[in-house]
């Protein structure tokens, strides 16, 4: 047991620093994806609710596809397809030039697509939960459509979205592990490297699992705190 | 009892509706509605459930789209252009059955949001106006509470104040008291009577026939999307012309 | 793109069968295990309910990928011990390890679904059942269970689709499922379109599964009418 824990030490013969570096990459990827996934969730929700029928159909195809495909398959397709697409663009201008898209960027794109397809349903449900009456009241005091959305609807939507987005964040956090498969040096990949040299898969994967459980725990605490703040000044029922 | 007509310019129409037709899908809910509302006039709209009363007054501030007809509010002809709609909504206040206060804003903020965001009034000026109207509806002391902390009657009074802050030329009421506990109906009706006394142009959908008798200049009876009959309250209640009106009055009185 | 499908029809067929069998088997086994677990979990406050909650928390908190690695490589580390107890044949096979990981994973999610349904059973029905002189067993059989199952349906359908998608991760321990076969063919041909063939495979299974669910749920419209 003692030998095992030294494997986690920092420095030349321990893997602690590498794992920490990998954890950093995992977290940066997750945090970097959040704003894009959020914005796309709203965009797709808006497209699915807009009066234009062709646009709505596009929105429905988007969500059907990205909710049906395994995340890992989406990731692989984005990774290779983006690469070949960009290369076919650049090769027209500069023949002997080839770019390789970073796994980090591919991961961000794929995770954004996948989680916005889920997130848009959260947004739509929250919009419906706020209710038509609020929109009408906002219009009746002559707010424009954008003012009605930003000052009346959106502030009330957070209350309904936060629990579901908290869940989505946990999914996203776990989803980042897939990016190790397309060679991003995240915590999973560093764990695999550690195992390749130390031949201690059970120990290292257990540590890895523990790290994720810990992240889930911290996220849960953070979520409760945020929800408390968001609901603090809004008394709905007497 | 007669209230003074505060109409300095008789014949000036605040709302005029002509040839209004509306369908929900295949359902023809408003059929050839013509209605002129003079400045200072107080109109009560009555009729059985589903007759199109709400839909009619919601057309006036374009909360409902309509397919045929013309609505002119204070000289502005409604079109589906956003600027025009916002302009018309400035002239028209609306009070809903379910209050529809903004639960995430304080009472004061509920009243100032429209003026500040809608027509760019500065915050101080808007707050002053809001306090003035909150006093008028007798709840200035609640200004910093949230809607959820108020009773239904108080909320509805705030909703009236919120509309008044827009300084509208006409007020629309859609069954403002029917979601209230009986003991709270009076406090809201009193405010409405005060408004009527001051000469506010009002269109009220309501089943409060006492209110109609007391303040209305005209009672309109709707059924199946049509204006079946309209008359002065005394005539309307004592001497209804149509079978459907008689039946309706028998049921509610 | 289509030539990839027709030229390697046997490869794709095997992949399709493996994906479907992995999903269906783990779903059914997990359901059977999840019922007693969900019922036990619905008695909140008991020790066993807390233990089950711990299990669910850990499973839901960790990526399935890590769970698969832990079972295949982690447990596989102890092969001499496993051989001694006669389990090596199981943990040697990617397919079995994948099946185990998917099952353990789905148990956690399905137990929560079962718990939700159990807790939503209206107990007023017991008196109603007794008043028409049904025995306790019969009340369970004809009143509680049908209501609980009808309530679980949408969530279970959802879980099935999630499990199907999740099953693609077994390709990382060299199981020949749809994605595994696609990755194999890609390494042979370097042609991206094999992944689109795989995508169509998954789309078809999901759309069929959802259509079946809608048919089954249509029988329970009374639930929405209450
Ligand atoms: N959004 C809608 N979509 C479809 N039909 C509608 C919609 N709103 C109202 N209707 C229908 O239009 C008709 C008129 O409705 P409206 O709400 O104007 O009636 P009302 O006279 O206000 O009735 P109540 O006294 O119940 O409020 C009804 O038959 C109603 O079912
Ligand atoms: Mg109505």
């Amino acid at each position: 047991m003692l030998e095992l824990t030294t494997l986690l030490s920092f420095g030349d013969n321990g893997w602690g620093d590498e794992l920490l570096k990998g954890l950093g990459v995992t977290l940066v990827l997750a945090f970097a994806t959040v704003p894009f996934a959020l914005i796309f969730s709203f965009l797709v929700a808006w497209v699915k609710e807009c009066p234009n029928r062709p646009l709505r159909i596009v929105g429905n195809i988007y969500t059907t596809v990205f909710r049906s495909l395994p995340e890992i398959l989406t990731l692989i397709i984005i990774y290779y397809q983006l690469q070949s697409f960009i290369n076919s663009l650049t090769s027209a201008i500069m023949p002997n030039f080839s770019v390789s898209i970073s796994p980090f960027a591919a991961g961000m794109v794929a995770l954004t697509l996948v989680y916005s397809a889920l997130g848009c349903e959260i947004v739509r449900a929250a919009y419906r939960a706020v209710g038509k009456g609020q929109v009408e009241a906002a219009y009746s005091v002559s707010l424009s459509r954008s003012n009605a959305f930003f000052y009346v609807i959106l502030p009330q939507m957070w209350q309904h979205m936060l629990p579901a987005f908290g869940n989505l964040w946990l999914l996203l956090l776990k989803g980042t592990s897939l990016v190790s498969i397309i060679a991003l040096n995240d915590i999973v990949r560093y764990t695999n490297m550690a195992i390749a040299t130390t031949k201690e898969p059970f120990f290292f994967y257990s540590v890895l699992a523990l790290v994720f459980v810990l992240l889930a725990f911290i996220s849960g605490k953070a979520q409760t705190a945020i929800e408390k703040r968001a609901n603090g000044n809004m008394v709905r029922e007497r | 009892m007669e209230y003074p007509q505060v109409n300095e310019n008789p014949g000036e129409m605040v709302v005029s509706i002509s040839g209004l037709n509306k369908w929900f899908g295949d359902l023809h809910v408003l059929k050839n509605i013509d209605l002129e509302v003079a400045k200072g006039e107080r109109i009560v709209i009555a009729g059985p459930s589903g007759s199109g009363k709400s839909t009619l007054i919601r057309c006036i501030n374009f909360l409902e789209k309509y397919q045929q007809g013309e609505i002119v509010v204070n000289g502005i002809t409604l079109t589906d252009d956003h600027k025009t709609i916002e302009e018309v909504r400035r002239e028209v206040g609306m009070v809903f059955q379910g209050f529809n206060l903004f639960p995430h804003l304080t009472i004061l903020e509920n009243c100032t949001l429209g003026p500040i965001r809608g027509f760019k009034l500065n915050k101080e000026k808007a707050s002053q106006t809001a306090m003035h109207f909150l006093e008028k509806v007798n709840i200035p002391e609640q200004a910093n509470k949230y809607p959820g902390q108020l009773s239904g009657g108080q909320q509805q009074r705030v909703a009236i104040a919120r509309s008044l802050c827009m300084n509208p030329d006409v007020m629309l009421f859609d069954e403002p008291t029917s979601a209230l506990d009986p003991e709270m109906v009076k406090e809201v009706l009193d405010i409405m009577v005060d408004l009527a006394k001051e000469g506010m142009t009002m269109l009220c959908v309501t089943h409060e026939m006492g209110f109609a008798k007391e303040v209305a200049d005209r009672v309109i009876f709707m059924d199946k999307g049509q204006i079946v009959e309209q008359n002065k309250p005394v005539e309307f209640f004592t001497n209804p012309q149509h079978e459907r009106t008689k039946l309706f009055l028998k049921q509610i009185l | 793109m289509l030539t990839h499908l027709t030229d390697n029809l046997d490869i794709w067929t095997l992949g399709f069968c493996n994906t479907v069998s992995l999903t269906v088997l783990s779903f059914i086994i997990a359901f059977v295990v999840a019922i007693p677990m969900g019922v036990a979990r619905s008695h909140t406050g008991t020790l066993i309910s807390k233990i089950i909650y711990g299990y669910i928390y850990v499973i839901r908190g960790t990526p399935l990928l890590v769970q698969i690695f832990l079972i295949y490589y982690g447990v596989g580390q102890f092969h001499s011990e496993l051989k001694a107890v006669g389990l090596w044949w199981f943990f040697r096979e990617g397919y079995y390890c994948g099946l185990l990981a998917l099952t353990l994973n789905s148990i956690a999610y399905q137990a929560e679904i079962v718990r939700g349904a159990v807790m939503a059973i209206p107990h007023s029905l017991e008196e109603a059942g007794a008043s028409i002189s049904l025995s306790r067993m019969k009340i369970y059989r004809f009143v509680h269970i049908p209501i609980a199952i009808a309530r679980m349906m949408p969530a279970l359908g959802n879980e099935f689709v999630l499990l199907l998608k999740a099953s693609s991760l077994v390709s990382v321990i060299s199981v020949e499922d749809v994605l595994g076969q696609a990755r194999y063919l890609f390494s042979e041909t370097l042609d991206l379109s094999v992944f689109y063939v795989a995508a169509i495979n998954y789309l078809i299974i999901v759309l069929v599964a959802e259509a079946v669910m809608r048919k089954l749920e249509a029988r329970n419209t009374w639930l929405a009418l209450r």
Side-chain angles (χ1 to χ4, degrees), chain B residues 88-109:
Chain B
V88 166
R89 283 176 182 158
R90 253 178 243 182
E91 316 283 333
V92 180
M94 181 153 207
V95 176
F96 301 87
Q97 181 175 357
F99 328 138
N100 298 9
L101 294 181
F102 308 130
H104 62 301
L105 299 179
T106 62
I107 299 309
L108 187 65
E109 289 165 340

Side-chain angles (χ1 to χ4, degrees), chain A residues 45-65:
Chain A
W46 179 69
V47 163
K48 286 183 79 154
E49 295 285 333
C50 80
N52 184 320
R53 208 175 118 88
L55 217 53
R56 275 207 311 268
I57 294 175
V58 170
N60 285 332
I61 292 176
Y62 179 95
T63 49
T64 309
V65 166

Side-chain angles (χ1 to χ4, degrees), chain A residues 132-145 147 151-153 155-156 233-238, chain B residues 58 61 63 82 86 89-90 92 94 96 100-104 113-114 117-118 146 148-151 162 166:
Chain A
K132 237 178 109 197
Q134 289 291 312
V135 186
E136 290 178 351
Y139 286 169
S140 80
V141 292
S142 110
L143 293 190
S144 66
R145 292 196 301 178
N147 275 341
Y151 292 103
V152 175
I153 310 306
Q156 297 185 57
N233 61 359
M234 185 148 118
V235 196
R236 251 185 182 272
E237 307 296 333
R238 274 163 24 94
Chain B
R58 287 158 56 85
N61 64 351
L63 288 182
H82 292 302
E86 279 161 38
R89 283 176 182 158
R90 253 178 243 182
V92 180
M94 181 153 207
F96 301 87
N100 298 9
L101 294 181
F102 308 130
H104 62 301
L113 183 67
R117 299 292 160 200
Y146 286 90
Q149 296 168 296
L150 269 55
S151 74
R162 175 175 74 178
M166 313 279 306

Side-chain angles (χ1 to χ4, degrees), chain B residues 59-95:
Chain B
C59 282
I60 297 173
N61 64 351
F62 213 71
L63 288 182
E64 299 286 356
K65 282 197 174 91
Y66 47 89
Q67 285 81 12
Q68 278 175 18
E70 191 184 66
I71 299 181
V72 182
V73 179
N74 249 4
I76 311 166
T77 307
L78 256 178
T79 62
D80 51 14
D81 165 62
H82 292 302
K83 278 275 152 290
T84 315
I85 295 171
E86 279 161 38
E87 247 175 81
V88 166
R89 283 176 182 158
R90 253 178 243 182
E91 316 283 333
V92 180
M94 181 153 207
V95 176

